[in-house]
Amino acid sequence: MALHLEIEAIQKVYPSESPEGRVEVFHRIDLSVDPGQFVSIVGPSGCGKTTLLRIVAGLEARTSGRILLDGRESEERDRRIGMVFQDYALFPWRTAVRNIEIGLEIQGMPQQKRRSLAMKYVRVFGLEGFADKYPKELSGGMKQRVAIARTLVANPEVVLMDEPFGSLDSQTRNRLQDFLLRIWRERKDTILFVTHNVDEAVYLSDRIAVLSPRPAAVCGIFDVALERPRDRTGPEANRIRKEILELLHRPHTSPVTF
Amino acid sequence: MNWKRLAPPLAVLVLWQAGSTAGLIPGFKLPSPLQVLGGLADLALRGMPPGHRLHVHVLYSLERVLWGYGLAVLVAVPLGILMGWSRRVRDWIEPLVEILRPIPPLAWIPIAILWFGIGIRSAAFIIFLGAFFPVLLNTVSGVRSIDPLLIEAAQMLNAGRRFIFLKVLLPGSVPSILTGMRIGIGIGWMSLVAAEFTGVRQGYGLGYMIMTARDIQRPDEILAGMLVIGLIGLGIDGGLRLAERRLVRWR
Ligand SMILES: Nc1ncnc2c1ncn2[C@@H]1O[C@H](COP(=O)(O)OP(=O)(O)OP(=O)(O)O)[C@@H](O)[C@H]1O
Ligand SMILES: [Mg+2]
C-alpha cells in the first residue's frame, strides 16, 4: 500500500515585477521518504514548509525539480496523496460525520456504505456523540480529529500533514500525537509531517529533516531509531532534540548536502 | 412581544384617530384609522371594483411575483455561481450588469409593455428585473467569499469540478444567496405594485385595485390597500428569514 516519495531538486521562486521582489523560497530541496516511513520537517517560521507540502500535494507549481512516487513522476496532481491542512479546512455546512465521509462520496461510494464506514472512523477517533455536530460546535482538538479522519478514510497512500497540532494546547496535542501513532501503526502510510515543534518531531518521527531559513535547504537529517512508545524525555530523545535545536539556532552559511 | 417598541406607533394611531374625530384632519385627504379598517372590510367583502374582492387581487399579484421572482432566482443563482467561480465569465458579464443594474425596474415598464403587452408577462418581467440583480450580486460575492482552502481540501480528496461546483461552492454560498433572495423579493414586491398601476388586463392585482379606488375617490380603500401590501411584504420577509435560520444552522 505505502508508497515511496522522492522530492528531487525542488526549486521554488515566487516571481515578481521587480527583480528584488522575486522571492526564492528554496533553491534546491532533496528529500526521500521510504514506504511506510514517518518523516517530519522542522524549520523556522516562513522558511517554506507549507510551500513544500503544497508542491508535493500538487496544489502549487514548482519552479523546477521533480516529485516522484515509487519512482514515477505524474503530470497532474497525484490522486494517491492526501493532506491534512493546518487550519482544519472543514466544510462548515457539513456535520462531523458528513465531513468525514465526503472523500467516499467523491469516490462514488453508495450512501449507506460510506456512512457506516465514516461512523467507524467516528468511533475510532473518539467522536461518538459528536457525529451530527457542525464544525462550529466542536473544540479545536475534535475538529483536528475530524480533519485527520476525513483524510484517512479516503485511503491515501501518502499523507501530508501541515502542523496539524500547531494550534492545540499541550495536553490535547500529546493525546493526539499518541492517537496518530496508533492509527499509523495499523495503516503504515507514508507520512510527511510538518511542524515547528522539535519535541513533537522527535516523539513521532522515524526521520527528521531540518530546514534552514530562506532560501531554505535541508541542513540536517536525523534518524530517530527509538522504540515506540517513546519516552519524551529519554536521554537519546534529549540528545537528538539538542542537536536539532543547535542546528536551528546556528547562523547559516552554506547548506550541508547529503 | 416588546411593548416598548409598540408604544410609538400606537401613540401615533391614537393621535391620528383623535385628530380625525375632532375634525382637525380632513377625511377626504386622510381618513381615520377606523375608516381605513372599514375600507379594508369593504375591500375584503364587497371588492374594488365591486365584485373583485381583495383575496383575488392578492392571488393575482402573488402569481405575477412568483413568476418574475422565480425566474430571477433560477437564472441569477447559477449565473452568479459561474461568475464567482470563473474569472472569464465574470469579465464578460460584469460590464453588462454594471450598465443594466442602475436602471430602475420601473423605467423598463414602457418597453416591457411594448415587448410583452399589458398583462402578467410584462409585470413578471418588471419583477424579474427588480429581483435579478440583488440575487446575482449576492451570489457572486457569496462564492467569492468561500475560503479557497475549502476548494483545495475538496481537490485533495480528488473532487472534480462538478463536485466542487455542487457540493462546495453552492452550499458555501447559500447564506449570501438567501440574503440576495430576501433583498430581491423586497424590490420585486415593490416593483410589482407600480407595474400594476400602469395596467393589468385581467382587472385584478393590488396595484390595480388601489388605482381603481383612487379613480372613484375612496381614500380609505387606498390606504387599506397600502396596508395590505406592506403586511404581505412583511410576511414574505419573515418567511424568508425563517428559511434562512433553518437552512444555515451551521453558521
Ligand atoms: N504567493 C506568494 N508570493 C510571494 N511569496 C510567498 C507567497 N506565498 C508564500 N510566500 C513566501 O514564501 C515563504 C514561505 O512561506 P510558507 O508559508 O511556506 O512558510 P512556512 O515555513 O510554512 O511558515 P510557517 O512556519 O509560519 O507556517 C514566506 O516567506 C512567504 O512570505
Ligand atoms: Mg506553514
Side-chain angles (χ1 to χ4, degrees):
Chain A
M1 270 296 280
L3 287 172
H4 177 246
L5 166 67
E6 176 99 44
I7 296 167
E8 195 183 276
I10 292 292
Q11 183 198 19
K12 176 67 184 180
V13 180
Y14 281 113
S16 163
E17 293 85 63
S18 64
E20 313 85 62
R22 169 184 181 278
V23 179
E24 182 164 47
V25 184
F26 15 82
H27 185 66
R28 184 194 169 115
I29 298 271
D30 293 279
L31 184 64
S32 167
V33 185
D34 290 338
Q37 202 178 29
F38 195 129
V39 172
S40 289
I41 299 174
V42 298
S45 187
C47 74
K49 303 181 295 294
T50 297
T51 307
L52 182 61
L53 274 203
R54 290 174 55 81
I55 288 173
V56 175
L59 292 174
E60 184 114 40
R62 52 191 181 261
T63 308
S64 65
R66 300 200 299 168
I67 304 290
L68 304 167
L69 286 178
D70 273 356
R72 289 232 307 275
E73 193 179 7
S74 92
E75 281 299 312
E76 318 152 6
R77 213 192 71 67
D78 195 290
R79 303 173 72 84
R80 292 169 298 181
I81 299 179
M83 178 146 166
V84 179
F85 292 84
Q86 178 166 11
D87 304 312
Y88 322 124
L90 298 181
F91 301 103
W93 54 87
R94 285 182 164 242
T95 58
V97 67
R98 293 193 64 235
N99 261 285
I100 293 174
E101 72 179 7
I102 192 169
L104 304 173
E105 193 178 330
I106 290 165
Q107 290 165 14
M109 186 182 284
Q111 154 100 47
Q112 269 182 358
K113 206 166 154 212
R114 69 174 188 250
R115 181 56 57 92
S116 74
L117 190 53
M119 281 311 289
K120 202 179 116 198
Y121 273 73
V122 164
R123 283 189 294 277
V124 173
F125 278 70
L127 292 163
E128 297 104 328
F130 294 92
D132 296 322
K133 297 269 187 261
Y134 290 101
K136 70 158 188 196
E137 301 167 303
L138 302 175
S139 71
M142 286 178 190
K143 278 190 260 210
Q144 196 59 74
R145 274 179 282 169
V146 172
I148 296 172
R150 178 178 70 179
T151 299
L152 294 186
V153 76
N155 220 7
E157 295 174 50
V158 173
V159 182
L160 311 173
M161 300 186 145
D162 191 1
E163 300 195 32
F165 308 140
S167 57
L168 305 176
D169 65 83
S170 60
Q171 277 166 24
T172 313
R173 172 190 278 258
N174 287 355
R175 258 210 329 275
L176 286 192
Q177 286 168 354
D178 287 325
F179 181 72
L180 177 63
L181 284 177
R182 222 167 50 231
I183 290 180
W184 171 65
R185 201 166 50 228
E186 281 163 26
R187 296 175 48 97
K188 275 291 169 198
D189 302 306
T190 306
I191 296 188
L192 189 55
F193 186 99
V194 162
T195 174
H196 57 231
N197 184 323
V198 176
D199 295 11
E200 179 168 84
V202 173
Y203 185 68
L204 293 174
S205 329
D206 296 319
R207 164 176 270 209
I208 301 166
V210 181
L211 294 188
S212 63
R214 243 180 44 213
V218 178
C219 65
I221 294 250
F222 295 82
D223 284 303
V224 189
L226 287 169
E227 286 293 312
R228 295 187 177 92
R230 290 175 178 169
D231 178 359
R232 289 179 191 270
T233 52
E236 175 68 1
N238 280 335
R239 188 188 61 77
I240 296 172
R241 180 157 49 231
K242 190 153 167 274
E243 271 186 57
I244 294 174
L245 287 171
E246 271 169 13
L247 191 57
L248 281 172
H249 292 138
R250 186 192 306 160
H252 283 278
T253 42
S254 66
V256 190
T257 42
F258 292 86
Chain B
M1 184 58 81
N2 192 342
W3 295 105
K4 268 215 181 97
R5 288 173 58 85
L6 231 55
L10 275 176
V12 169
L13 274 178
V14 168
L15 280 177
W16 174 7
Q17 182 64 48
S20 298
T21 314
L24 296 172
I25 303 172
F28 65 94
K29 284 262 166 76
L30 183 62
S32 77
L34 289 176
Q35 284 171 317
V36 172
L37 274 183
L40 188 63
D42 280 352
L43 284 177
L45 301 174
R46 281 199 287 139
M48 172 58 61
H52 290 210
R53 288 165 63 188
L54 177 64
H55 64 276
V56 189
H57 288 295
V58 170
L59 286 177
Y60 269 87
S61 287
L62 284 177
E63 190 195 352
R64 289 174 191 130
V65 168
L66 220 63
W67 273 106
Y69 179 66
L71 278 176
V73 170
L74 279 179
V75 178
V77 169
L79 183 63
I81 294 179
L82 267 176
M83 282 171 69
W85 192 18
S86 149
R87 163 115 242 150
R88 195 136 37 101
V89 175
R90 190 161 63 246
D91 285 347
W92 267 97
I93 311 274
E94 221 163 44
L96 293 173
V97 170
E98 288 315 313
I99 292 169
L100 294 178
R101 193 172 60 101
I103 302 172
L106 304 186
W108 288 84
I109 289 178
I111 198 80
I113 290 173
L114 188 70
W115 288 346
F116 303 111
I118 286 176
I120 185 166
R121 288 200 298 159
S122 56
F125 178 67
I126 301 303
I127 292 147
F128 174 91
L129 287 169
F132 182 77
F133 294 108
V135 177
L136 182 76
L137 296 182
N138 277 281
T139 305
V140 174
S141 86
V143 173
R144 300 201 65 193
S145 66
I146 289 174
D147 187 352
L149 207 58
L150 293 180
I151 295 167
E152 291 183 343
Q155 280 172 341
M156 285 312 293
L157 293 162
N158 301 323
R161 291 169 71 83
R162 197 184 129 85
F163 188 93
I164 290 175
F165 190 90
L166 291 175
K167 299 293 177 91
V168 180
L169 297 180
L170 188 61
S173 39
V174 159
S176 294
I177 292 174
L178 286 174
T179 303
M181 282 174 66
R182 244 182 54 222
I183 300 172
I185 191 83
I187 298 179
W189 186 243
M190 289 179 213
S191 322
L192 161 89
V193 174
E196 286 173 347
F197 280 171
T198 53
V200 288
R201 213 178 13 213
Q202 300 93 333
Y204 282 107
L206 289 167
Y208 171 78
M209 178 187 81
I210 291 177
M211 284 317 265
T212 317
R214 192 214 57 176
D215 288 343
I216 59 162
Q217 307 285 326
R218 286 289 303 265
D220 55 334
E221 294 193 353
I222 295 178
L223 284 174
M226 288 164 61
L227 187 68
V228 169
I229 288 166
L231 287 177
I232 291 176
L234 202 67
I236 292 173
D237 194 65
L240 274 174
R241 269 178 205 279
L242 209 71
E244 219 171 332
R245 263 209 300 280
R246 286 192 59 91
L247 277 170
V248 293
R249 268 202 325 248
W250 50 269
R251 265 220 150 163

